[in-house]
Amino acid sequence: MLERVTVLADEDGEFSDWIELLNPEPGTVNLAGWFLTDNVLIPQKWQFPATSLSPGGRMIVFASGKDRRSPGAELHTNFRLDS
C-alpha cells in the first residue's frame, strides 16, 4: 500500500502546518467574523478577513504564526500548531 505524503510551501518558501477548509454547501460562505484557534480558552484567537468560500471551494490557511489576513492573499494564522 502506498502512503500519500503532501507538503505545501507558503509564498515565502517555508513549510508549516496548514488547515484546509472545504465548503460542501451549494451557496457561498462569507468567512468574515469566523475564527481559528489552537486554544479552547481563546476561541477568537485569529479572525478571518472579509473573504468568501465558493460552493465546493477549498481554502488553505497556514498555521505559521505570521498573522497575515489580507483578503485575496495567502492566509496565515498568528499561531503555530504543536506536534
Side-chain angles (χ1 to χ4, degrees), residues 16-30:
S16 60
D17 292 320
W18 46 271
I19 300 154
E20 181 178 18
L21 302 176
L22 167 66
N23 178 8
E25 301 300 319
T28 298
V29 174
N30 182 352

Side-chain angles (χ1 to χ4, degrees), residues 5-41:
V5 177
T6 303
V7 294
L8 185 61
D10 67 17
E11 63 192 357
D12 300 324
E14 297 176 357
F15 298 89
S16 60
D17 292 320
W18 46 271
I19 300 154
E20 181 178 18
L21 302 176
L22 167 66
N23 178 8
E25 301 300 319
T28 298
V29 174
N30 182 352
L31 295 175
W34 288 33
F35 296 86
L36 290 176
T37 189
D38 65 338
N39 185 333
V40 69
L41 300 176

Side-chain angles (χ1 to χ4, degrees), residues 24-79:
E25 301 300 319
T28 298
V29 174
N30 182 352
L31 295 175
W34 288 33
F35 296 86
L36 290 176
T37 189
D38 65 338
N39 185 333
V40 69
L41 300 176
I42 309 170
Q44 298 179 339
K45 193 165 184 179
W46 185 84
Q47 185 173 9
F48 280 92
T51 189
S52 295
L53 190 52
S54 60
R58 296 175 185 268
M59 178 182 295
I60 298 292
V61 180
F62 289 93
S64 65
K66 296 179 183 179
D67 196 16
R68 296 181 185 165
R69 3 175 179 204
S70 298
E74 196 170 81
L75 301 176
H76 291 257
T77 63
N78 57 354
F79 59 85

